[in-house]
Amino acid sequence: MQSPTGAVTILRVLRVSLHVGFAVLLLVAVIRLLTGVGTSGSPSSTALAAGLGLSALLAMVYLAGTILEKRHASDPSRFNPTRYAAWWLGAVMFLWLLLLLVSGDFAWVAFPLFFLQLHLLPRRLALPLIALSTVLLIGALWFHSRGTSDGGLQLAMVLGPVFGAGFAVVTGLAYQALFLEAENQRVVAEDLRRTRAELAKTQHDAGITAERERLAREIHDTLAQGFSSIVLMGRSAEKALDDGDTGAARERLRIVQETASANLAEARSFVRGLRSPDLEQAGLVDTLRRLCEKTETEAAARGTALRCRFELVGSPVELPNTYQTTLLRAAQASLANVWAHAKARAAVVTLSFLGSEVTLDVFDDGIGFEPSTAVATVRGDGTGVGLLSLRERLAALDGSLEIESAPGEGTVVAIRVPLPVGEDEA
């Protein structure tokens, strides 16, 4: 529940004061009519009955209109009396004019009605109607003063209604200005709340999308490759058992266990949003060296003669976790493509610290391909994520990826990442 603004509070006070003022003036006129001390003297029984009946009817009509307007203002889904406002005002004015014929004491009820006329009608209609009501008010006062000691048109009979009408017009115009300001504030506040809700939803959706993309990259670069290796090792172990080579089968099952354990650790790690377990146990250089050894061992277990070595150029610099993770994932994805597609005999992973940047090159002497045919899109079976996720990782670090290859001439994956500002150069 929001606190009302200053303009809204003022409008609320003015509205309540208007209704209270109408009720008080009508009640005073009825009391004077009953006691016979009014401007018309003691009324006849017919005039008294007419005055009381018309007063009660006026009060009910006025109260019905205000209640319907209040209910709609608090709940816009309820009946909207706006289209009938002019008819309601006409009924109130007609009943008031009838009461003026009964007693001049009902003349002062005109002042709250001036405000209603200005509020419910267009200004081009409200001002002439207020002027006409003032003339009728003066005429009623003069009519009921005949036969008294002060009979005749008195100056007070003119000045009172004229000044009252003028005051009502000025106050009514100020009320309208406040009403427009409050309405503008309400519209602006609604637009602001809607914009904030849309922004919050957009940020929420963006966060979900970013998290999904992160999980997709992590799953592809760790679990998917690990599961693929487990499947291939399992098939190789099965073939070794069929050939009666229990030693080779045992070795390949050991690799399956190690890969499964590594995958479990990776899964726990990226769910918590932490760095790779390999990087937790050792630095980037040692992790890449062990990755090359593991790749060569797994290739040998599958019967592939792949030699994989690691080379370091320059003096290592301590890199932030995100940089180390990106370079490690790039090496993992590149070597996975080497043993899955390249049919290479040798692969070299080179990590270089060159002044203001660090580079990672993965070379293989495989069958190569035409780089223009390598499109970074996700295929329907869920493959094709590697190159796309690698580009996304590098883009986050202002890095770049270049692929040099040709059919029959091997492939080089070249990655360049600027060192963080303030990092010591090699």
Side-chain angles (χ1 to χ4, degrees), residues 55-376:
S55 297
L57 184 58
L58 176 59
M60 288 188 293
V61 172
Y62 188 94
L63 184 62
T66 56
I67 289 177
L68 290 176
E69 189 275 336
K70 178 63 176 178
R71 286 163 60 91
H72 176 71
S74 60
D75 184 2
S77 63
R78 291 182 173 180
F79 172 73
N80 185 2
T82 303
R83 66 178 68 179
Y84 304 104
W87 292 99
W88 174 78
L89 178 62
V92 170
M93 293 296 298
F94 178 73
L95 292 173
W96 170 69
L97 290 175
L98 293 179
L99 284 171
L100 273 182
L101 295 176
V102 175
S103 173
D105 292 311
F106 291 99
W108 310 115
V109 181
F111 296 111
L113 299 183
F114 290 156
F115 290 99
L116 290 179
Q117 292 168 6
L118 199 60
H119 178 63
L120 297 178
L121 297 177
R123 191 176 302 175
R124 58 185 176 82
L125 297 179
L127 294 179
L129 184 57
I130 291 175
L132 177 60
S133 300
T134 304
V135 172
L136 292 175
L137 177 58
I138 295 173
L141 291 175
W142 170 77
F143 175 79
H144 288 293
S145 67
R146 292 180 309 162
T148 64
S149 58
D150 295 330
L153 186 63
Q154 303 294 322
L155 182 62
M157 295 180 187
V158 177
L159 293 181
V162 170
F163 278 106
F167 177 78
V169 170
V170 173
T171 308
L173 293 177
Y175 177 90
Q176 287 185 340
L178 284 174
F179 180 81
L180 291 176
E181 180 185 353
E183 186 66 14
N184 291 335
Q185 290 179 351
R186 182 187 65 81
V187 172
V188 171
E190 288 181 356
D191 290 341
L192 178 60
R193 286 193 294 270
R194 183 171 60 254
T195 302
R196 290 175 60 183
E198 293 175 353
L199 178 60
K201 183 178 183 301
T202 300
Q203 292 177 339
H204 177 71
D205 293 342
I208 292 177
T209 301
E211 182 63 14
R212 287 176 177 173
E213 292 176 352
R214 182 186 78 85
L215 291 177
R217 288 194 299 265
E218 296 292 346
I219 289 173
H220 174 272
D221 294 342
T222 57
L223 301 185
Q225 294 181 15
F227 289 143
S228 176
S229 177
I230 289 173
V231 170
L232 293 176
M233 287 294 101
R235 292 172 180 173
S236 180
E238 183 180 15
K239 184 177 182 301
L241 289 175
D242 292 341
D243 295 339
D245 190 352
T246 57
R250 185 178 294 106
E251 175 63 19
R252 288 162 192 175
L253 288 175
R254 183 188 64 80
I255 295 176
V256 167
Q257 291 176 349
E258 292 178 354
T259 304
S261 298
N263 267 21
L264 179 59
E266 288 285 1
R268 291 170 174 169
S269 176
F270 71 68
V271 165
R272 297 193 305 268
L274 303 178
R275 65 191 302 195
S276 171
D278 293 332
L279 294 174
E280 289 287 346
Q281 298 172 3
L284 177 62
V285 173
D286 291 337
T287 301
L288 290 176
R289 183 176 288 112
R290 286 204 299 267
L291 176 62
C292 290
E293 296 172 353
K294 178 183 176 183
T295 300
E296 186 173 310
T297 300
E298 291 183 354
R302 292 193 297 270
T304 302
L306 174 64
R307 303 290 298 175
C308 183
R309 74 175 189 272
F310 171 75
E311 294 183 356
L312 174 64
V313 177
S315 300
V317 174
E318 184 65 25
L319 299 175
N321 293 341
T322 53
Y323 285 70
Q324 296 188 48
T325 300
T326 297
L327 293 173
L328 174 59
R329 299 299 186 226
Q332 289 174 329
S334 299
L335 290 178
N337 287 331
V338 169
W339 60 256
H341 307 294
K343 300 179 182 179
R345 292 186 176 182
V348 180
V349 177
T350 304
L351 178 65
S352 304
F353 292 88
L354 306 174
S356 61
E357 64 182 18
V358 57
T359 64
L360 178 72
D361 299 320
V362 180
F363 162 77
D364 70 80
D365 61 355
I367 59 176
F369 62 95
E370 180 59 44
S372 61
T373 63
V375 182

Side-chain angles (χ1 to χ4, degrees), residues 357 360 390-391 394-395 397-402 414-418:
E357 64 182 18
L360 178 72
L390 180 54
R391 291 189 185 280
L394 292 172
L397 302 179
D398 294 329
S400 63
L401 169 67
E402 294 183 4
I415 295 169
R416 183 191 68 82
V417 180

